[in-house]
Amino acid sequence: MDTAPESARELALLESIEHDPDVTQASLASQLGVAVGTINWHLKRLIEKGYVKVMRAERKKLRYIITPEGIALRARLAVDYVERSFSIYRKTRQRVKEHLAKVQDAGYDRVRILGKGDIVDICRLTCIEQGIQVVNNKDAPVLQVDGFKVQLKMEDK
């Protein structure tokens, strides 16, 4: 199967085309935050594999139609996306629980969380579940979130 970013991009492309068959490559590029050439490359692949058909709607306007095979691909990509997301969620929660056990063993009942994004939200929810207070106190141990990575930074008491 494709790599995760390519799969996610193709899923987004198929969903956008399904929502608006008259969508342009420029608007797709804008929606996905990539170059038009990248959209063109993905569309050509989807067309070659029979997942999308292209028809001329007007002289210079194209219409993209998802084939039944494309609908099946979209469904598979959506399931894969959900499975990957839950796997990340479970692994992150387990890692945070391990860090929080160390925090509690060291006699702390609070942490500071640094970073941004969905992983920070997972950390915060796991803290609540484990009875650990999330604070902004600079003396508290820190859960440092960098992308999908969560590290514990703690000074000994």
Side-chain angles (χ1 to χ4, degrees):
M1 179 124 275
D2 294 338
T3 62
E6 282 186 18
S7 294
R9 193 171 290 145
E10 287 184 354
L11 175 59
L13 272 170
L14 289 169
E15 287 174 341
S16 293
I17 291 169
E18 186 175 41
H19 178 71
D20 179 11
D22 295 318
V23 68
T24 65
Q25 289 187 20
S27 67
L28 286 169
S30 176
Q31 288 172 26
L32 297 177
V34 297
V36 175
T38 301
I39 296 298
N40 186 276
W41 181 81
H42 279 286
L43 283 172
K44 282 182 179 179
R45 280 189 53 202
L46 292 170
I47 291 166
E48 285 173 11
K49 292 180 177 183
Y51 299 130
V52 173
K53 287 184 181 178
V54 63
M55 300 173 66
R56 190 160 300 282
E58 295 173 18
R59 201 173 137 201
K60 289 189 175 185
K61 187 137 172 101
L62 300 176
R63 170 173 267 198
Y64 299 100
I65 308 296
I66 298 178
T67 65
E69 294 82 4
I71 291 170
L73 173 66
R74 182 183 52 75
R76 279 194 314 275
L77 292 174
V79 168
D80 290 347
Y81 176 81
V82 170
E83 286 176 351
R84 274 193 313 276
S85 296
F86 274 116
S87 176
I88 290 167
Y89 177 78
R90 283 190 299 274
K91 287 176 184 175
T92 300
R93 280 181 43 83
Q94 183 57 41
R95 183 77 175 142
V96 172
K97 282 181 181 182
E98 291 167 5
H99 288 324
L100 295 178
K102 292 176 187 173
V103 166
Q104 289 174 320
D105 288 347
Y108 292 99
D109 64 351
R110 58 192 68 211
V111 295
R112 205 164 41 121
I113 302 174
L114 300 178
K116 56 186 174 184
D118 294 336
I119 301 300
V120 169
D121 293 337
I122 295 169
C123 291
R124 187 171 282 108
L125 290 170
T126 305
C127 287
I128 292 168
E129 176 192 82
Q130 299 297 311
I132 300 290
Q133 189 177 8
V134 178
V135 297
N136 286 324
N137 185 335
K138 295 198 185 276
D139 295 335
V142 174
L143 290 176
Q144 177 71 51
V145 177
D146 183 21
F148 292 112
K149 190 174 176 181
V150 180
Q151 293 181 316
L152 174 61
K153 296 181 180 179
M154 178 172 54
E155 293 181 20
D156 293 327
K157 269 191 167 180

